[in-house]
Amino acid sequence: MMKIFMLLSLACLVGFSESAVFDYKESELKEGREPIKSGAIKYMAVTYATNTELEVVYKGSNYDAVLSHMTDDARVYAVVKNNMDEVIFLTWIGPSVSPLKKAKVSTDKAFVKDAVEPFKCEKLADERNEIQLSAVKCSARPQGQ
């Protein structure tokens, strides 16, 4: 946490704004989310175009196309409407992603989540079996919780 604060402080000192350090194209993310809400599409995948820029790489109804972006060295944020019509925010961190990039996911994910809300639940995955469509569902909670 201290390193993030120091990095942001340094960015302010040298004249960078937050948007210059990280570009996540909020309007593009929100536009991608609307067809999922309406039922026109079921999936959206967002990944890094560069170290500081996110882009929507897929919008559609083919889950295999989403999976094609979830490689061992990738970080992917996806909005998934599963077979139970639950909208789920899924974060994929491939097993070969460097520790520094893994740490960056926690801060970047907050921006993406804000842009694509609402969703029923979120899921973090780093193993292939966790991203199979049958495994992408909200956990059942006991009644009263």
Side-chain angles (χ1 to χ4, degrees):
M1 183 70 154
M2 184 62 155
K3 287 181 182 181
I4 294 170
F5 176 74
M6 290 172 58
L7 178 61
L8 290 174
S9 297
L10 178 61
C12 290
L13 286 174
V14 295
F16 291 105
S17 67
E18 183 178 302
S19 61
V21 175
F22 180 67
D23 181 9
Y24 66 101
K25 299 181 182 172
E26 182 177 12
S27 62
E28 185 180 339
L29 295 175
K30 286 184 177 189
E31 287 171 15
R33 173 67 174 90
E34 288 306 311
I36 294 171
K37 276 175 61 175
S38 70
I41 64 171
K42 292 182 77 170
Y43 314 111
M44 178 175 72
V46 179
T47 191
Y48 292 83
T50 67
N51 278 335
T52 59
E53 183 181 353
L54 286 169
E55 69 177 343
V56 175
V57 292
Y58 180 75
K59 292 186 283 190
S61 297
N62 182 351
Y63 191 64
D64 287 336
V66 174
L67 291 175
S68 73
H69 295 284
M70 295 181 176
T71 59
D72 285 353
D73 62 345
R75 298 165 290 162
V76 179
Y77 308 98
V79 179
V80 174
K81 191 170 198 176
N82 67 11
N83 296 334
M84 297 176 286
D85 278 340
E86 298 171 321
V87 177
I88 299 164
F89 182 77
L90 175 63
T91 303
W92 165 256
I93 303 173
S96 299
V97 172
S98 73
L100 185 59
K101 288 182 178 180
K102 285 180 183 180
K104 194 172 180 331
V105 165
S106 63
T107 51
D108 295 351
K109 180 169 70 168
F111 293 112
V112 180
K113 282 173 52 176
D114 278 350
V116 300
E117 287 183 320
F119 45 85
K120 185 169 183 177
C121 64
E122 70 178 276
K123 183 171 178 150
L124 175 64
D126 61 2
E127 295 181 16
R128 291 259 164 232
N129 65 331
E130 297 173 320
I131 58 174
Q132 298 310 309
L133 191 53
S134 60
V136 179
K137 55 188 168 189
C138 296
S139 299
R141 292 191 175 137
Q143 284 186 334
Q145 287 190 349

